Amino acid sequence: MKKTIAVLPGDGIGPEIISQAVKVLDAVARRYSHEFIYRYADIGAVAIDHTGQPYPDATHRICMESDSVLFGAIGDPKYDGNPAAKVRPEQGLLKMRKALGLFANIRPVKPYGTLLDASPLKNGIVEGSDFVVVRELTGGIYFGEPRGRNEAGDKAFDTCVYSVGEIRRVAEVAFGYARRRRGRVTLVDKANVLATSRLWRETVTAMQKDEYPDIALDCLFVDNAAMKMVSDPKAFDVILTENMFGDILSDVSGVINGSIGLLPSASFGSGKSLFEPIHGSFPQGAGKDIANPVATILSAAMMLEDAFGMKREAEAVRSACNDAVSNGICTPDIVPGSSYGTDAVGTYIAGKVSGS
Ligand code: IPM
Ligand code: MN
């Protein structure tokens, strides 16, 4: 198969981890006789430096012309320390998600048997956990209007808005995953306080009753869900939640795996799909060859399977990652003091994919 992939390395460690994923994709192409054409484009702080825009039109065009999008990370300390900055790198990511209509973000969590000790949680709690966070990605407080400051500048406001249509389409994705998994959806909300959460609860509960009677649905308040995620993660199969709660809970889920550097994600919507690690740009680690490339490589595996239908290729990449992790070929976030850097881990995984 011939596929065009828009490659958006972004900021911080983005370029380093993306080159490992490309190395692995090249190994897949060689072994399984595919052709991947990479079209590189800017996003984030690097795009602001080059064009003044965090998600330039040229980048959007390249995404639209490609079969799928592989994205690294976004964010730069020079903006974090400047709350007055008018243009921020993160706006590029939000704009891209909105422009590509990516309303569902899938974040699977399943710890590696050999890495149970990498989690600060007790083995017995972590072992056997296997769940997916389905996070709504283009609505809620991230996008609601009005937002900003009053004229005096001494008051700020954000707005959380959800429509039934926005809730239904992402809930369909979550119920679909549950049907292919263990048949349970947990809706996470704050329905004891928020009107939007009550609409989520009403909509999702009615969907379960009318359209998905074979799926078990339970509803949890987000504070309770956060506690349960670290005290009893095995209780979850598919977690369905709104944008902001999904952002927070998916970082919490990194604790279960032992490192957020192992968690991939996929975003789906009206057309194009996008694949990215859930971690950020880790600016302190940029250029030091210490960033864990596995989350990005596993995101590329999700692309192979979910965007291109290349199941056995995706399996080969996942099993190469498993091999690396079980043999201790890991960056220092997993094996403290490890002599394997970003590049060496990527090369090892690509080598395993090639069959060596
Ligand atoms: C994520 C990130 C982004 C988000 C930031 C960089 C805007 O934290 O993908 O989880 O909040 O969605
Ligand atoms: Mn996040």
Side-chain angles (χ1 to χ4, degrees):
M1 261 190 239
K2 180 170 170 175
K3 295 286 177 193
T4 304
I5 303 171
V7 180
L8 279 43
D11 303 324
I13 56 169
E16 297 162 61
I17 53 176
I18 282 285
S19 24
Q20 305 318 312
V22 167
K23 203 186 271 178
V24 172
L25 285 170
D26 281 339
V28 168
R30 274 194 306 274
R31 167 141 180 219
Y32 297 95
S33 308
H34 298 302
E35 188 184 348
F36 297 137
I37 296 156
Y38 308 108
R39 295 191 65 194
Y40 285 83
D42 283 343
I43 190 167
V46 74
I48 301 176
D49 291 345
H50 291 164
T51 68
Q53 297 294 324
Y55 182 58
D57 293 345
T59 299
H60 183 59
R61 217 167 23 249
I62 288 177
C63 292
M64 292 306 287
E65 288 166 4
S66 303
D67 294 304
S68 193
V69 184
L70 183 65
F71 162 65
I74 224 164
D76 190 298
K78 76 180 173 212
Y79 295 93
D80 297 340
N82 175 13
K86 288 262 173 313
V87 186
R88 308 184 57 80
E90 289 78 6
Q91 289 165 346
L93 180 55
L94 301 186
K95 204 170 158 200
M96 172 168 71
R97 288 173 177 168
K98 197 73 168 178
L100 298 177
L102 300 167
F103 59 80
N105 181 220
I106 314 300
R107 300 184 161 186
V109 180
K110 192 174 172 183
Y112 290 81
T114 47
L115 277 190
L116 293 178
D117 288 333
S119 172
L121 302 174
K122 293 192 177 97
N123 284 3
I125 289 182
V126 171
E127 200 171 9
S129 315
D130 177 1
F131 62 87
V132 177
V133 179
V134 178
R135 168 189 178 193
E136 200 290 327
L137 204 59
T138 51
I141 202 160
Y142 272 60
F143 291 94
E145 297 286 347
R147 57 178 48 234
R149 295 269 177 110
N150 66 349
E151 238 160 71
D154 60 357
K155 247 188 211 169
F157 43 88
D158 296 284
T159 308
C160 186
V161 191
Y162 271 111
S163 68
V164 168
E166 287 174 304
I167 298 167
R168 279 193 63 90
R169 62 186 184 180
V170 68
E172 276 163 11
V173 174
F175 281 121
Y177 268 89
R179 265 196 185 144
R180 300 192 295 280
R181 294 173 49 91
R182 301 193 305 278
R184 166 170 298 275
V185 170
T186 303
L187 172 66
V188 173
D189 62 26
K190 190 72 186 172
N192 50 349
V193 177
L194 302 176
T196 41
S197 283
R198 286 192 282 274
L199 186 64
W200 272 83
R201 212 173 255 220
E202 191 182 301
T203 307
V204 174
T205 307
M207 284 175 78
Q208 185 274 333
K209 192 163 159 279
D210 301 339
E211 300 160 56
Y212 299 94
D214 52 316
I215 304 296
L217 173 70
D218 56 348
C219 303
L220 277 187
F221 296 139
V222 61
D223 45 356
N224 189 7
M227 184 175 71
K228 199 155 176 177
M229 189 170 272
V230 288
S231 57
D232 185 19
K234 285 194 274 288
F236 297 115
D237 179 16
V238 176
I239 294 175
L240 167 63
T241 191
E242 60 111 83
N243 204 344
M244 173 85 122
F245 299 157
D247 178 46
I248 298 166
L249 286 180
S250 56
D251 267 37
V252 176
S253 71
V255 172
I256 297 165
N257 253 50
S259 169
I260 198 169
L262 293 170
L263 294 179
S265 92
S267 301
F268 304 109
S270 35
K272 295 295 139 186
S273 44
L274 176 141
F275 300 83
E276 58 171 307
I278 83 157
H279 61 69
S281 59
F282 185 31
Q284 316 85 301
K288 295 191 181 149
D289 195 39
I290 55 170
N292 192 335
V294 171
T296 314
I297 294 170
L298 289 174
S299 302
M302 290 182 90
M303 169 185 283
L304 292 171
E305 177 156 4
D306 297 331
F308 304 156
M310 299 178 182
K311 210 172 160 48
R312 74 191 163 144
E313 290 84 339
E315 211 31 66
V317 174
R318 282 193 286 260
S319 106
C321 290
N322 269 326
D323 181 295
V325 166
S326 20
N327 286 303
I329 319 287
C330 299
T331 42
D333 53 316
I334 309 262
V335 176
S338 168
S339 57
Y340 290 99
T342 312
D343 190 65
V345 171
T347 301
Y348 180 88
I349 294 170
K352 283 286 153 192
V353 168
S354 308
S356 60

